[in-house]
Amino acid sequence: MSPADPFFDEVPDHRGRNSLKWGKYEGRDILPLWVADMDYRAAPEVIEIAKELARFGHFGYGKPSPALTELILERMDRLHDWRIQPNWLVWLPGMVCGFNIAIRAMGKEGDEVLSNIPVYPPFLTAPGNFGQNLIGIPMTLEGDRHTIDFGALASATSPQSKTFLFCHPHNPVGTQFTRTELERFAEFCLRHDLSVCSDEIHCDLLLDEGATHVPLAAISPEIADKTITLMAPSKTFNLPGFGCSFAIISNPELRRRYKKACAGIVPDPPAMGFALAEAAYRHGEPWRQRLLHYLRANRDLALSRLAGIPGLSPFPVSATYLLWIDARGLAVENPQQFFEEAGVGLSDGADFGSPGFLRLNLGCTRALLEQALDRMEQAVGAR
Ligand SMILES: Cc1ncc(COP(=O)(O)O)c(C=O)c1O
């Protein structure tokens, strides 16, 4: 286990601050390890820019600087070996809104939207927002790693299937898809004329040493032509409250449809969102490297402790700071409630399409994580 890091060990006191994550259990002794928000302070350079803007004292409409676009282009090239053009970018105030718009742009009422299950809950409801039907493809296990079940995908795909809503890397199971899997997936989508919305919000949170993220659209020009990629600095740099996300769409006709679906209902990101995104991409790399180091150690600690708790089977986490646990072995009616009563607030797998499972957020201090693991161990031991 790597030594602790004083920066990530020392977090602000979130109580009484209208935090979604902490507010849920305000006034109760329940450790919040649920919604995907990390407890850490943002990078010091990002905080400085926020202070500078506050001192400036004017909060009017903003626009992305050419430098932000340049940073994104350079980042795609350097980190993901993907060359994109400035006019492929469409700015968005958030990812959930981004994939809802994609479903609207890619299909029509009555069409089917495919998605791997379990998945981030808003994926489950997005198709229904536009009269489209979600078809869940249960993921399969290769050893203890979740991946796409190509057999189930082939059986579930019908002439009504028009869109695949893809989570890459995958929340909540922590899978980083390999190039080989992506090639096979791309080939399947092209064969069945499926458009893909690829939510890659977690792409800069790879926990395996030396791993690199391959965007689906970087696999081939053919799949790029069918793909809307969504990305954001929000998860990576812990800025989710300052919505600044973007779609990358190389196909001009698809981009036109996407912008039309946005028209009049999707605002631009706030000026502060643009500014903090730029600061994070420009200055945040040392912070991100330290974060990954810290999260790896949290993951390793949680995996080894959870594996020792009878009835719990944790899955490996290659990406994201979210750890997926099979709690069916506990044989309790509602594992989320069971641990909540023991003072640990986890996400309920039922919300992701998998009752009996739990999701644990590793984005907290080592001390809080240890305390939560102690409580979980004691609760199971005391049954
Ligand atoms: C896969 C995925 N997409 C989107 C989001 C949320 O994005 P936003 O807050 O920008 O709507 C999350 C948050 O956890 C997520 O895990």
Side-chain angles (χ1 to χ4, degrees), residues 36 94-97 99 120 123 167 171 199 201-202 234-235 245:
M95 297 284 281
V96 172
C97 132
F99 59 70
Y120 177 55
F123 275 46
C167 191
N171 171 11
D199 177 334
I201 193 172
H202 295 284
S234 54
K235 292 284 141 182
S245 314

Side-chain angles (χ1 to χ4, degrees), residues 35-37 92-99 119-123 166-172 199-202 230 232 234-235 240-241 243-245 320-322 352 359:
V35 65
D37 202 352
L92 296 163
M95 297 284 281
V96 172
C97 132
F99 59 70
V119 77
Y120 177 55
F123 275 46
F166 191 45
C167 191
H168 166 46
H170 192 97
N171 171 11
D199 177 334
E200 305 191 8
I201 193 172
H202 295 284
L230 299 175
S234 54
K235 292 284 141 182
C244 179
S245 314
T320 79
Y321 49 82
L322 307 163
F352 299 76
R359 195 191 71 176

Side-chain angles (χ1 to χ4, degrees), residues 97-272:
C97 132
F99 59 70
N100 272 273
I101 293 293
I103 287 170
R104 197 167 181 231
M106 288 170 148
K108 58 177 189 331
E109 271 193 27
D111 284 350
E112 289 173 358
V113 178
L114 306 167
S115 201
N116 291 314
I117 304 286
V119 77
Y120 177 55
F123 275 46
L124 302 174
T125 49
N129 292 340
F130 305 100
Q132 302 185 36
N133 303 312
L134 174 81
I135 306 293
I137 317 294
M139 296 182 87
T140 187
L141 282 173
E142 269 174 8
D144 55 5
R145 175 182 180 271
H146 287 82
T147 189
I148 304 166
D149 187 334
F150 282 99
L153 177 57
S155 314
T157 304
S158 81
Q160 281 70 49
S161 310
K162 299 293 181 216
T163 304
F164 199 109
L165 188 50
F166 191 45
C167 191
H168 166 46
H170 192 97
N171 171 11
V173 298
T175 298
Q176 187 205 351
F177 297 107
T178 63
R179 181 177 286 278
T180 309
E181 287 167 334
L182 294 170
E183 284 170 353
R184 193 170 168 197
F185 178 62
E187 190 273 325
F188 181 91
C189 294
L190 290 171
R191 190 150 32 91
H192 293 271
D193 198 23
L194 291 172
S195 301
V196 186
C197 175
S198 189
D199 177 334
E200 305 191 8
I201 193 172
H202 295 284
C203 70
D204 292 325
L205 293 168
L206 306 185
L207 299 189
D208 292 342
E209 299 274 0
T212 52
H213 173 78
V214 180
L216 177 69
I219 289 290
S220 70
E222 292 77 19
I223 193 66
D225 234 28
K226 304 280 293 174
T227 301
I228 293 172
T229 305
L230 299 175
M231 289 190 183
S234 54
K235 292 284 141 182
T236 315
F237 295 101
N238 209 24
L239 311 169
F242 269 116
C244 179
S245 314
F246 49 92
I248 306 174
I249 313 171
S250 59
N251 178 331
E253 171 53 21
L254 189 54
R255 194 165 62 242
R256 189 196 60 75
R257 289 213 312 271
Y258 192 79
K259 286 184 172 172
K260 185 151 184 270
C262 288
I265 50 173
V266 180
D268 282 338
M272 185 76 98

Side-chain angles (χ1 to χ4, degrees), residues 117-121 124 172 324-325 333-336 347-359:
I117 304 286
V119 77
Y120 177 55
L124 302 174
W324 189 239
I325 305 165
E333 172 96 17
N334 181 336
Q336 194 278 338
S347 298
D348 188 346
D351 298 340
F352 299 76
S354 291
F357 288 72
L358 297 164
R359 195 191 71 176

